[in-house]
Structure formats: structure tokens, C-alpha cells
Amino acid sequence: MYPIATELKVGNNQLDSYLPVRNKNNDISWQFVTGLALSYALKRKIEAYDPDQFREDCKTHMQELLDEPAFWSVLERMYFSSQDIFRVSPLFLLFHAQFVGEKISAGSTADKRLGTLFANLMGDFSLRYPIQDRLNFIEQQMLNKLNEKIKLLGKGPFAEEQPYLPYMVTCFQSDLAFLAEHPQYLLQELTNTLRLYAFSWCAQLALNLDNWQDGEPQSKSLFFILDSEKASSEREKVKRYGYKLFASQSEKLFPVLSVLEVLQWGKGQKKRPLWQIYQDTLNDSDSSARVLNDLNVYLQDFIVDRGLPLRERATNLENAFKQLLSVALEQFQGKKTDRATVNRKYVNELENQICTDFIQVRGRAGKVLVLNQDRLLLLTNLTVGKNDKLRLHELLRGFEQRGFYLDNQSAQTLVAFYERMGNVERMSDSGDAVYVRKTV
């Protein structure tokens, strides 16, 4: 198969894959997204089942089972009036995102884009159904009524994208499997886990854009401080590889990903990352001359259309790709142009909708990336996962695989935090002999 689109057309910049935000209309319901992600993970769905109808079905069922039918009013106050029914089992989260056939019946476009992101992180992975909850008799009866309405979900409505960051796929699937072994923790933390990964995905995607020549991406350094720490100017790694790096790289997301759309195969075909398309062109020696010519023709047309300085035709595929990305970025460089304004909106929407919980303004230090205690504990539990405990350096390496880096000062603060939590063991005075347990 020809490694790029057979017809390269110069047009408006469009973005249809990999990034879950656009330059406007990014209203996200994380409750809805959680329901979507769980549906896809379980390959199960609820169709057109109103919660009020579910309550009536439970009422009828429980009154048949109870010696005193009037006791239903107590159960109704306990589980339905307070909405506590949604805290009984993760399966009740399926109510939040219902389907009609294989299509989602509600939710915003932004919700569906996030659903696509998580569906492609999961791929063929799925959780075992039913989830093994520990419920009392009454809760189990209510869950039995719900199970009558739960149906199989096929592939769902999500467009297929080859993961841009395969290493993050491995972490995400492992973390979901761990959460499923602890149903109440899954119920409590699934939304927070999704928000953690949405941020890390976007940040690591931005950091990996420039490395398309290197093949499959690896986790890139992105340093955080803990929310209890000061943002000292001496924190060299935090300064060089923290918020400022993320902010500068995120400005490339829309330009690079929109030019990537031009190279993709036709409608209905699986989207591929830039690094994969480049590898495909190198590996297809029979068509390399044609690909080079097609790229050169497109580049000349693009340069003329955007009013950019003329340049020599590329003499090899590597130079053609470099030139493609160079002009993709160059078209946005005039700060007072409409294109620059659009790109700035993409960056702002990304920060405001996906990244806001991870960014703080710290006086003269300006904006920094921060992990608060709740996210730190979640990240710790996910990383320790099915292990009983991990050495500190193993734990930090697991953080890094998920896109969260800490310098030595933060690592020391982290150990003190774990000691207060009571989930750390010291085998000796050396740092390597510090073990951290999960708190689940």
C-alpha cells in the first residue's frame, strides 16, 4: 500500500485525530467520559434506560422480596434520594454514557474525542465482566436488575488510531487492570485516573513531536514539584524541563498534527502517527521516488499558498519531512495573523480544559507543573499496582513511564510524605533501601 495519501491537497488546517481539544467548544463532562471509558473497557453498554425507570424497577423487585414492602421508602432514601446508588458498584457508572446501537446517545463532541483517546489507549484490551464486587444482599439485587439491561458493546463509534505513544498504552492498560481488582477504588478513582492520563497524553505527545525520526517514542522528561514545595529558582530541572518546555512544545501540536492529517490514508483507514508514516515511507523502497516527488509538489504548492519564502526542493525523504514540518510551523509565526490566533486558542483550550489541575502560578517563578497529594497517592497506587511494594527508584521510574518526573529535592519531600502516610519501609539508611507500599 502506498505509504502516504495518494493525493496531497493544500487546504485549510484541519485536525481530526490524536488531540482531544479544538480551538473552541471543549465542554467536557468527566462523568460522561468516565461512563464511556468504562463501557469500552468492559465491552458492555446500557441503552435508553432512564435512572428513574431503574428506581421503579428496583422498587417493584424489592417489594416482592421484602417481608415489609413499606421498607422500600428507607431503601429509596438510602440509595436513590442521595444518589448513593452510583457509589455501590462501578457498573452503575454505565448510566452516565448510554448508547443507541453502537452510537453514543448524548454527550458533547469533546466528550466523544476523549472517548476515542481512551478507546485507542485500550485497543483490544478489556476488563473481565462482571466486576467482582463485594455487595450486600440488597445492593446485589439492585445490581441484578441493572444487569438485565446491560448489553454487549462491539467496537463502538470510536475512530481507530494507531497509538502515538505505545509506552503509555502499556501503562494505561496495566493501571486499568489494577483498578478492576479493587472495585471500590475503581469507582472512586477512575475519573481521576482518566484525567491524569488525558493530561499526560497531551503533554507527552507535545514533547515527542520533534522526534519523528527516532521511531517509536519514549517517555520524555517533564518535571513537577509537589504542591507542598516552593518553586525555587535553583531547581534547574524544574526550570528547564517543566512548564516552560511543555508550553513551548504545545504550540506545535496544532501545526504538526494538522499537516499529519494531509498524509493520512483515506476516510475509514486507521490513523497513523507521524513517526510511523515516516518509517513506512523509508521501508517502501519501491515508491520512495514517487513519495519524494509528491511531497515536493505539495510543499511548493503549500509555500505559494501561504506566502512563505521559496526554498529548494528536498533531495531525500528525511529532508522532505523536515521541510514539511518547518513550513507547517512557519505559517503560524506571524503573531498578528488569524492563524496565530487560532493556534493560541488551541494552546489556551488545552491548558484550561485538560491541564488546569496540574498548573499553578508560583509568584516570581511563574507557572509550574504541580502534583497535589491526592494525585500523588493515586499515581503511587497505580505504579505499585499488583506488587506489594516497590523500591523508591523503581517507583520513580514508574512515575516517569506515566509522564511524571521528580527531581532529587522532590523525591526527598516525597519520602517524608510517605512516612507521614505510614506506607514506607526503610531497610537501611541508603536511598535504594526505601520501599513504598500502596494504600489500597
Side-chain angles (χ1 to χ4, degrees), residues 176-200:
L176 282 184
F178 163 70
L179 288 173
E181 292 183 355
H182 304 271
Q184 281 303 306
Y185 196 60
L186 170 65
L187 183 60
Q188 173 188 330
E189 294 293 350
L190 179 56
T191 299
N192 292 326
T193 300
L194 296 178
R195 297 187 78 151
L196 197 75
Y197 269 96
F199 166 79
S200 188

Side-chain angles (χ1 to χ4, degrees), residues 158-173:
F158 307 114
E160 272 197 285
E161 299 171 358
Q162 179 186 337
Y164 213 109
L165 308 171
Y167 67 90
M168 197 168 286
V169 170
T170 303
C171 291
F172 185 65
Q173 294 178 0

Side-chain angles (χ1 to χ4, degrees), residues 126-158:
S126 59
L127 297 177
R128 187 173 63 180
Y129 177 85
I131 292 173
Q132 301 302 305
D133 287 297
R134 293 181 179 178
L135 307 179
N136 63 39
F137 171 77
I138 289 170
E139 291 167 349
Q140 187 60 56
Q141 292 301 314
M142 292 179 178
L143 184 58
N144 291 344
K145 291 307 294 181
L146 177 64
N147 277 325
E148 293 174 8
K149 297 290 186 176
I150 293 178
K151 302 178 181 180
L152 278 171
L153 175 67
K155 284 194 170 184
F158 307 114

Side-chain angles (χ1 to χ4, degrees), residues 302-317:
F302 186 91
I303 287 166
V304 171
D305 183 80
R306 298 297 198 262
L308 302 176
L310 297 176
R311 57 205 78 192
E312 296 292 327
R313 287 170 63 92
T315 56
N316 57 54
L317 287 173

